[in-house]
Amino acid sequence: MKKHFLSLLLLTGLTLFAQENLTFQKPSAEILALADYQRAPSVTMDSKKEWMLLSYRDTYKSLEDLNQEEMRLGGLRINPLTHISSATTFINNLTVRRIAAKEEIQVAGLPRNPRITNLSWSPDETKIAFTNTVSDGTELWVLDVASAKATRLTGPTLNAVMGNPISWFRDGKALLVNVLPNDRPALVDSKKDLPKGPTISVSDGSKSQNRTYPDLLKNATDEANFETLVRSELQRIAFDGSASVFKPADLYAGVSFSPDGSLLMVTTIRKPYSYIVPVSRFPMQSDVYDLSGRLVKTVNEVPLNEVMPKGFMAVRKGKRSMGWRADEPATLCFVEALDGGDPANQVEFRDEVFLWKAPFDAAPVSLVKLKQRYGGMLWGNATTAMVTEEWYDTRNEKAFLIDPSKPGAAPRLVSDRNSQDIYSDPGQVETVRNAYGRYVMAIENGNVFLIGDGFTKEGQFPFIEEMNLSTLKKKRLYTSVYKDRKEDLLSIEDFKKGKVLVMLQSATDYPNYYFRDLKKKTLTPVTTFANPFESIRNVYKEVIYYKRKDGVALSGTLYLPAGYDRTAKKEKLPLLIWAYPEEFKDRNSAGQSNKNPNEFTFPNYGSFVYWVTKGYAVLDDASFPIIGEGTTEPNDTFLTQLVDDAAAAIDAVDALGYINRKKVAIGGHSYGAFMTANLLTHSNLFACGIARSGAYNRTLTPFGFQSEQRNYWEIPEIYNTMSPFMNAEKMKTPLLLVHGDADNNPGTFTLQTERYFQALKGLGAPVRMVLLPKEAHGYAAKENILHLLWEEDRFLEKYLKG
């Protein structure tokens, strides 16, 4: 049996050596009982709610799953043997069930050891297409829902490198599929291929503040391999497996049928490629074809997009957000910037939305102009649609009703709010599947329906409202007022009968689906998934509310061990805080809470909840707002606010009498790791900390990070002050650094942790670094996750209980 080893660098004082080779370890029995469980299946239903598909998969991947062939090109991670993303999570079993019945039906005919993904319901919802990945490629399969029988349509010939390779023809009698071409050249071994010259990149003097992207093309060999891997044919494949070429081999980035199925928009990747931005910003061309494959119109040509103005509201010039209008047979909708895509340009209108009806002989028609950046369009019918606009710098978001039959008519304002103000969220407009199989606004007797999360100062009360399209007046139809359960309102299934699909859960009851009858006031269970975490059923859980010293309201979910005497409080517990900083532009939004004590307690490696079984108090998802009001930016006072957030959290739990405030640990992942390192560096609040997959030197992300839009050369003091690496000499508190050794998240390359560890070790700080093999930004392999929990458990026991 092959042994896998972790790369470990040990805490000063634990050993005379700087490295230690360990086989994978497992955490203590209490934690292992929670971590080693079988997850419930994922559920999808047809639009009529007659059939349910249940998809099963392993709780974790294995290290063997991660240890596959992989090529990293153009921002993609590709398995060159199976022609699918190397990060794909596979399903290993399928069952179907009539929703009105109780028994699941095992799908017959599935392959041995299934590795299923890319599930796609047919237009009439009687079949489900999917891919199955085998050792040498990816196959096309189809499932007949009523008979629960799966059939293989092709061998391992599909190309799923650019995503789901399956699209249904509108008649549901065949599939359009990306297939590997027969003349596919062999991949070039970049290690053996002798370069024909140097790699040269050139700047023409235009400013372009790109962030740090991973896995980019680096040379001509990469370009050739990229083309080989992405190139595919579009084939029409029938249910008997017969195939015909619809379009010859090309670099297909995406395909999209018109709602009536008569036309197909095909987007292809063009040259030149880039070595500084990923494939999403390569040149692209979009062409519309009829069903015979005849070109109708080239509708968009997008040049290489390496040069972008500064700011989150910057967009490229030209047509963008192009897609089919959902309520018409074959009309395209797209947007163009009126400010050159540059937020710094002052103009009356930022964006203009156009309609372009097939066969695209006439010029596109201007539908509406927007004063902020286009946020999206929800189609309704010939006279009703809703468009949203947004502006990140102010967090403003507006929604308007427009009449598509009257292009250029003034839009009617429906809502105008701060996008971070969750208490004012009006909810999402309910949709319904139309005759084309597309989802559009559900309009009944001149009314639309809003489903809202219902966050308020008093708690969470999800709701359904009816809004009249003429008067915009609202009528509350239902409010969820559970005190001991959390209800998610998912969809309205029958507007006249008041039938709603909901999900109910509590702190100890696993989330399950129900049908709610608003008129009869009844609940009918749809699923009955059991709680796999019975060992923490009796832990104490409470959302606590407290304030920062400047008055900003904060909150967190507090867990106490089962049986802990909250009245006597004789035992003072060590406290673990898990958090992630979030930026706001106003104190009001920053002080709002989206926590619900009735949310199911789902322990996972992304929090400290496991340790409530080991005698720790845990404050999970503690509020760490960073606020910049008016002309100031949040990061202008990042460190001060960060320390104040932490102090407030500790003070709040200490005031309840539960903890020993000298035994407090802080932890976080990604930006939460950055937070952790800064808190250990700039405060004396914590006995130790755990920082996972973070970035610690902001000069390595010089054109912005997280929500920071300014570059390093504009505010070098802030970048340097916020960087734990730049202040490594101040860090004297024990720190456990963890990182996946294949991190592909922009800005958090593994190098960040490696260099920070070297600085801390060189300066004598007590630090341990663990690099998890084959892991990206989030961790997936069971061996790595269980070992991570072992590392964290040993670390916390040493510094909080030792």
Side-chain angles (χ1 to χ4, degrees):
M1 184 177 184
K2 185 191 294 184
K3 286 189 176 182
H4 297 284
F5 292 94
L6 287 169
S7 174
L8 300 177
L9 292 160
L10 298 184
L11 279 163
T12 303
L14 286 183
T15 178
L16 296 176
F17 303 99
Q19 290 84 28
E20 177 186 356
N21 287 323
L22 287 178
T23 55
F24 287 101
Q25 304 294 307
K26 292 182 179 180
S28 60
E30 301 93 331
I31 294 175
L32 186 61
L34 294 171
D36 194 8
Y37 74 100
Q38 179 57 53
R39 67 168 59 240
S42 298
V43 173
T44 58
M45 305 179 196
D46 66 354
S47 63
K48 295 178 182 178
K49 300 301 181 284
E50 295 176 351
W51 286 97
M52 176 193 304
L53 176 72
L54 297 100
S55 304
Y56 291 83
R57 69 178 180 88
D58 293 331
T59 302
Y60 307 107
K61 293 184 178 182
S62 69
L63 194 59
E64 196 65 36
D65 292 330
L66 302 189
N67 190 35
Q68 58 183 290
E69 292 288 330
E70 184 179 70
M71 298 188 74
R72 304 175 183 182
L73 301 166
L76 305 174
R77 292 192 170 184
I78 303 162
N79 184 321
L81 302 179
T82 57
H83 317 115
I84 197 168
S85 168
S86 57
T88 302
T89 297
F90 294 107
I91 296 161
N92 59 24
N93 191 25
L94 296 173
T95 65
V96 296
R97 198 192 99 187
R98 282 192 179 274
I99 292 177
K102 299 297 182 185
E103 297 78 22
E104 293 180 37
I105 304 169
Q106 174 61 50
V107 172
L110 289 176
R112 182 178 295 180
N113 301 319
R115 300 177 76 206
I116 293 167
T117 190
N118 296 314
L119 296 162
S120 177
W121 289 74
S122 64
D124 65 1
E125 299 180 303
T126 63
K127 295 179 174 61
I128 300 171
F130 60 89
T131 62
N132 178 60
T133 298
V134 293
S135 61
D136 59 345
T138 296
E139 308 166 332
L140 175 64
W141 287 66
V142 68
L143 161 65
D144 181 78
V145 177
S147 66
K149 183 178 180 181
T151 305
R152 191 180 75 165
L153 299 185
T154 74
T157 59
L158 272 62
N159 190 340
V161 164
M162 293 299 291
N164 190 342
I166 303 169
S167 298
W168 283 92
F169 281 88
R170 181 78 186 100
D171 62 8
K173 296 179 179 179
L175 296 147
L176 184 69
V177 182
N178 291 70
V179 175
L180 297 168
N182 290 327
D183 62 349
R184 189 168 180 259
L187 293 167
V188 180
D189 187 339
S190 58
K191 295 179 180 178
K192 297 180 180 178
D193 185 50
L194 190 65
K196 296 178 175 59
T199 299
I200 300 171
S201 298
V202 178
S203 170
D204 64 1
S206 301
K207 291 184 179 180
S208 183
Q209 302 197 19
N210 293 308
R211 295 208 168 187
T212 50
Y213 296 107
D215 305 333
L216 300 176
L217 300 180
K218 297 180 177 66
N219 49 51
T221 300
D222 281 356
E223 291 192 41
N225 285 335
F226 172 80
E227 290 185 354
T228 297
L229 289 167
V230 172
R231 191 165 169 264
S232 63
E233 289 180 350
L234 293 180
Q235 293 188 7
R236 185 185 189 277
I237 299 179
F239 296 142
D240 62 2
S242 61
S244 59
V245 176
F246 182 83
K247 295 301 297 178
D250 208 333
L251 304 185
Y252 294 109
V255 299
S256 173
F257 279 102
S258 60
D260 68 355
S262 66
L263 298 174
L264 179 71
M265 182 167 64
V266 177
T267 300
T268 50
I269 301 165
R270 293 290 180 247
K271 286 188 172 182
Y273 308 139
S274 173
Y275 295 0
I276 64 172
V277 294
V279 62
S280 60
R281 290 171 64 175
F282 288 6
M284 303 255 184
Q285 179 173 311
S286 295
D287 301 293
V288 174
Y289 299 92
D290 64 19
L291 295 189
S292 70
R294 180 185 65 87
L295 177 66
V296 175
K297 186 77 171 182
T298 295
V299 293
N300 203 8
E301 293 178 282
V302 179
L304 178 63
N305 184 22
E306 286 186 339
V307 178
M308 286 277 284
K310 186 180 75 172
F312 293 157
M313 289 292 95
V315 295
R316 61 172 176 77
K317 296 178 182 179
K319 302 183 187 76
R320 69 179 203 278
S321 301
M322 179 174 279
W324 297 105
R325 177 174 167 176
D327 64 323
E328 286 203 344
T331 298
L332 286 171
C333 175
F334 64 87
V335 184
E336 287 199 62
L338 299 175
D339 58 3
D342 190 347
N345 291 335
Q346 299 301 311
V347 295
E348 182 179 4
F349 295 101
R350 294 280 180 184
D351 275 344
E352 186 171 12
V353 183
F354 291 89
L355 292 177
W356 202 6
K357 187 169 292 192
F360 316 109
D361 294 332
V365 175
S366 174
L367 178 61
V368 65
K369 292 182 179 180
L370 302 173
K371 294 189 175 183
Q372 300 185 117
R373 198 61 80 207
Y374 172 79
M377 182 77 72
L378 180 60
W379 299 103
N381 55 31
T383 60
T384 307
M386 183 175 288
V387 63
T388 58
E389 65 174 30
E390 60 188 359
W391 200 250
Y392 177 81
D393 293 25
T394 60
R395 309 301 197 269
N396 182 254
E397 177 183 86
K398 291 184 177 71
F400 301 91
L401 281 172
I402 59 174
D403 184 346
S405 70
K406 298 177 181 178
R412 298 171 60 208
L413 182 66
V414 176
S415 68
D416 181 357
R417 55 183 292 270
N418 182 328
S419 61
Q420 292 184 307
D421 181 0
I422 59 175
Y423 293 172
S424 71
D425 189 346
Q428 299 296 311
V429 177
E430 174 66 325
T431 60
V432 65
R433 196 168 184 260
N434 68 7
Y436 300 121
R438 307 298 172 98
Y439 282 87
V440 296
M441 298 168 66
I443 302 174
E444 295 279 331
N445 301 318
N447 298 311
V448 294
F449 302 86
L450 301 168
I451 299 179
D453 291 330
F455 291 110
T456 72
K457 292 180 181 179
E458 291 73 34
Q460 185 180 7
F461 307 99
F463 63 84
I464 299 174
E465 288 186 335
E466 180 183 79
M467 184 178 76
N468 186 272
L469 290 171
S470 297
T471 65
L472 301 186
K473 289 184 178 179
K474 297 178 182 178
K475 177 184 177 182
R476 183 64 61 97
L477 301 180
Y478 175 72
T479 304
S480 179
V481 292
Y482 282 111
K483 293 183 179 180
D484 60 347
R485 287 198 276 183
K486 178 178 183 287
E487 181 174 20
D488 295 300
L489 306 172
L490 303 178
S491 60
I492 302 173
E493 297 305 321
D494 191 314
F495 294 89
K496 293 179 181 179
K497 295 182 179 179
K499 186 179 180 181
V500 181
L501 180 67
V502 306
M503 179 178 283
L504 286 174
Q505 60 188 291
S506 74
T508 57
D509 294 315
Y510 195 88
N512 275 291
Y513 293 94
Y514 294 80
F515 285 122
R516 175 177 291 284
D517 190 315
L518 299 183
K519 294 186 177 180
K520 295 180 181 179
K521 298 182 180 180
T522 59
L523 274 175
T524 303
V526 177
T527 60
T528 54
F529 301 132
N531 178 1
F533 308 116
E534 288 293 331
S535 64
I536 56 172
R537 174 174 287 276
N538 296 320
V539 304
Y540 177 76
K541 181 179 182 180
E542 174 190 3
V543 175
I544 63 170
Y545 300 91
Y546 50 100
K547 289 187 177 182
R548 204 164 70 179
K549 70 179 184 181
D550 61 358
V552 174
L554 306 174
S555 62
T557 303
L558 179 66
Y559 296 86
L560 298 175
Y564 179 76
D565 191 336
R566 292 184 295 113
T567 302
K569 305 174 186 176
K570 291 182 179 179
E571 182 185 3
K572 300 301 181 182
L573 305 173
L575 172 66
L576 309 180
I577 299 175
W578 190 268
Y580 190 94
E582 186 176 0
E583 295 89 342
F584 293 87
K585 285 300 291 180
D586 70 293
R587 294 163 57 92
N588 175 58
S589 299
Q592 297 178 1
S593 176
N594 62 356
K595 301 171 182 66
N596 189 324
N598 297 315
E599 185 172 7
F600 180 66
T601 302
F602 204 127
N604 63 82
Y605 82 90
S607 78
F608 280 140
V609 172
Y610 289 118
W611 279 271
V612 74
T613 65
K614 301 288 297 281
Y616 294 83
V618 176
L619 187 64
D620 191 44
D621 193 21
S623 298
F624 270 69
I626 309 296
I627 307 164
E629 295 188 300
T631 58
T632 64
E633 290 296 324
N635 286 339
D636 293 349
T637 53
F638 175 84
L639 291 178
T640 299
Q641 294 190 65
L642 196 70
V643 173
D644 288 348
D645 288 332
I650 296 171
D651 289 344
V653 185
D654 188 33
L656 296 173
Y658 302 146
I659 64 166
N660 177 352
R661 64 178 302 134
K662 293 182 179 180
K663 297 289 185 179
V664 181
I666 183 73
H669 189 94
S670 193
Y671 207 54
F674 177 69
M675 167 203 74
T676 297
N678 268 307
L679 284 170
L680 299 192
T681 301
H682 299 286
S683 79
N684 296 313
L685 296 169
F686 299 98
C688 62
I690 298 175
R692 300 196 325 229
S693 297
Y696 309 103
N697 182 350
R698 285 303 168 198
T699 68
L700 298 180
T701 56
F703 288 111
F705 57 91
Q706 202 69 6
S707 296
E708 180 57 69
Q709 301 181 78
R710 299 168 293 183
N711 66 47
Y712 172 79
W713 295 273
E714 291 177 281
I715 50 168
E717 228 176 90
I718 290 176
Y719 271 68
N720 289 329
T721 302
M722 288 179 67
S723 296
F725 180 86
M726 302 302 188
N727 298 277
E729 80 284 358
K730 301 175 185 177
M731 219 294 289
K732 306 300 181 185
T733 307
L735 175 63
L736 176 61
L737 287 169
V738 183
H739 217 116
D741 74 2
D743 196 326
N744 61 340
N745 184 56
T748 58
F749 301 146
T750 310
L751 178 71
Q752 288 270 6
T753 288
E754 292 172 324
R755 292 293 180 264
Y756 187 41
F757 171 81
Q758 289 174 345
L760 293 174
K761 183 177 184 297
L763 293 167
V767 60
R768 176 181 179 93
M769 181 175 74
V770 180
L771 299 183
L772 300 174
K774 310 294 183 180
E775 295 289 0
H777 192 59
Y779 312 146
K782 183 176 183 178
E783 296 94 329
N784 281 328
I785 290 172
L786 295 184
H787 186 92
L788 167 70
L789 297 175
W790 176 81
E791 289 280 356
E792 292 179 335
D793 191 35
R794 192 174 71 146
F795 181 81
L796 295 171
E797 291 287 306
K798 175 179 175 64
Y799 288 106
L800 294 185
K801 289 185 176 181

